[in-house]
Amino acid sequence: MAKQTHRIGILGSGNIFGRYVTGLARYPELEIVRVADIDVARAKQAAADHSIPAWGDDRQLYADDSVDIVVNLTPPVHHARTIITALEAGKHVYVEKPLATTVTDGEAVLAAAARTGRVLGSAPDTFLGSAAQTARKAIDSGLIGTPIGASAFIGHSKAETWHPNPAFLFQPGGGPVMDMGPYYLAVLVNCLGPVSTVSAAARIGVPERTVTAPERTVDTVEVTIPTHTGAVLTFASGVIATTQMSFDVWDSDLPYLEVYGSEGTLSLANPNHFDGDVRLRRHGDGDWTVLEPALELFGAVGTREQARRGLGVRDLANAVEGGPHRANAAFAFHVLEGLCALEGSAQRGRSVTLSSSCERPQPLFTV
């Protein structure tokens, strides 16, 4: 992993900012030197709260020669523009998911990275955590035989009850597909390889949401994108996955993600977390077995540590030094195209074939 010091500038000091500060603090070689926000007063307060030496707006961040890596935490609709600007300013960039909100914007981002020669990485990076890596090791080791199928289930995050203004989650660039879908699809692609075709159907469940968060800044939000999507994904390997991604399912007993093989089943923890139990049940077993984690845990399961972020930034810093880059732009673009294919399939009422592919990232575990 990264050995030299990398100076980090964080763009965006909103809801997820503190999670990155907490996670990056685990790595002394990743030094946060600046925070920027369109609301400079908020950036100044964030800097004071976390002892960050410099603050300002986005232009000051791009112009700061002390910043090597920009961690982009802006809303998804701003990702493409801000990524390209940061790359052209000579910065390496790690962006929160998704890479962009459209395939066209994603292609522009990839072109900018190639043109500038900078390293571009993107969330989700939870597939770098112990849970997804443990599942990958089990599959690669043949514990479930030949993978045949998979299922993924996304229920509502109940953002109306805790986010002060969740409007962005119910507008283009949000919704269950673009908000939570990246975590699940990234784990599936890491474990099973690239997706070839997608067929989906979608609808809006409730056209207006009531916000009940204690510190809410709005009382209601209008829903302008589908909030309930069902899909079938066919992988290049032949694996067939069924998915349900919904902001209309508030309660359920369905598992988060399972992979079915010729000799057994894997059941994974929440792909939004780095860690959690991975359970195996081979044909003929009387019960499930919790597998030994393939990696050291990033955070204690069931605690606030589960919310912190930063493994992807460390992964990018390692790539800057010439090491393997796992949460890379090509991987993130393929995940983005897969999610856009879900939306496009639902809109057009037909199957969509993806144009991109990607390599399964190099595993972090040793066999």
Side-chain angles (χ1 to χ4, degrees):
M1 284 296 183
K3 298 178 178 64
Q4 67 188 54
T5 298
H6 298 269
R7 295 176 297 277
I8 309 293
I10 300 181
L11 178 60
S13 56
N15 186 59
I16 202 170
F17 170 81
R19 303 183 191 185
Y20 271 88
V21 173
T22 301
L24 293 176
R26 294 193 65 191
Y27 308 111
E29 69 273 17
L30 303 180
E31 180 185 359
I32 303 173
V33 298
R34 178 178 284 273
V35 55
D37 200 288
I38 191 171
D39 182 344
V40 176
R42 185 165 71 170
K44 182 178 181 180
Q45 186 61 54
D49 290 344
H50 297 281
S51 301
I52 299 170
W55 66 88
D57 61 22
D58 55 344
R59 291 171 297 179
Q60 291 170 303
L61 173 58
Y62 302 137
D64 189 340
D65 291 336
S66 72
V67 172
D68 304 315
I69 297 171
V70 169
V71 175
N72 187 337
L73 307 184
T74 62
V77 293
H78 301 301
H79 282 182
R81 173 182 58 82
T82 52
I83 291 169
I84 292 171
T85 303
L87 291 169
E88 292 179 341
K91 314 299 185 186
H92 305 293
V93 178
Y94 180 83
V95 64
E96 248 303 324
K97 53 80 187 169
L99 180 69
T101 57
T102 68
V103 170
T104 298
D105 281 351
E107 290 171 338
V109 165
L110 293 186
R115 185 174 64 250
T116 60
R118 301 292 89 186
V119 180
L120 172 61
S122 175
D125 57 350
T126 48
F127 75 89
L128 300 175
S130 69
Q133 292 292 313
T134 300
R136 167 77 179 267
K137 184 176 183 179
I139 292 169
D140 290 358
S141 300
L143 291 184
I144 62 168
T146 301
I148 297 169
S151 63
F153 177 75
I154 297 173
H156 192 15
S157 63
K158 304 180 182 179
E160 298 100 307
T161 66
W162 55 265
H163 198 291
N165 183 1
F168 71 99
L169 292 174
F170 300 96
Q171 297 170 351
V177 172
M178 284 301 199
D179 180 51
M180 295 301 296
Y183 298 109
Y184 289 70
L185 189 52
V187 169
L188 287 170
V189 172
N190 175 63
C191 285
L192 303 172
V195 178
S196 57
T197 61
V198 171
S199 181
R203 59 164 292 181
I204 290 176
V206 180
E208 185 178 83
R209 301 292 179 115
T210 300
V211 181
T212 60
E215 298 180 3
R216 64 186 176 274
T217 57
V218 296
D219 292 321
T220 61
V221 296
E222 181 184 2
V223 179
T224 60
I225 55 166
T227 51
H228 189 90
T229 298
V232 175
L233 290 72
T234 302
F235 289 74
S237 65
V239 174
I240 297 172
T242 56
T243 70
Q244 179 171 289
M245 303 180 180
S246 183
F247 281 172
D248 295 294
V249 177
W250 283 66
D251 299 287
S252 173
D253 289 326
L254 289 175
Y256 291 104
L257 196 154
E258 292 183 336
V259 181
Y260 314 109
S262 60
E263 297 179 22
T265 296
L266 280 177
S267 184
L268 281 69
N270 188 345
N272 189 23
H273 296 159
F274 291 99
D275 309 295
D277 286 347
V278 177
R279 299 183 301 148
L280 168 70
R281 189 164 184 174
R282 290 172 57 83
H283 299 342
D285 286 353
D287 206 347
W288 295 90
T289 299
V290 176
L291 297 179
E292 189 72 22
L295 304 175
E296 177 186 355
L297 303 189
F298 184 58
V301 177
T303 72
R304 290 177 62 86
E305 291 181 355
Q306 284 282 278
R308 63 189 180 189
R309 292 289 191 254
L311 278 184
V313 182
R314 192 185 187 206
D315 176 62
L316 181 139
N318 185 55
V320 169
E321 296 180 26
H325 193 193
R326 297 173 173 89
N328 60 66
F331 179 88
F333 178 80
H334 183 69
V335 170
L336 169 66
E337 189 189 8
L339 297 172
C340 289
L342 263 74
E343 294 184 332
S345 174
Q347 291 169 358
R348 302 182 190 105
R350 60 177 176 81
S351 177
V352 173
T353 298
L354 276 65
S355 61
S356 71
S357 185
C358 69
E359 299 291 333
R360 287 204 303 165
Q362 181 177 321
L364 281 157
F365 54 83
T366 55
V367 178

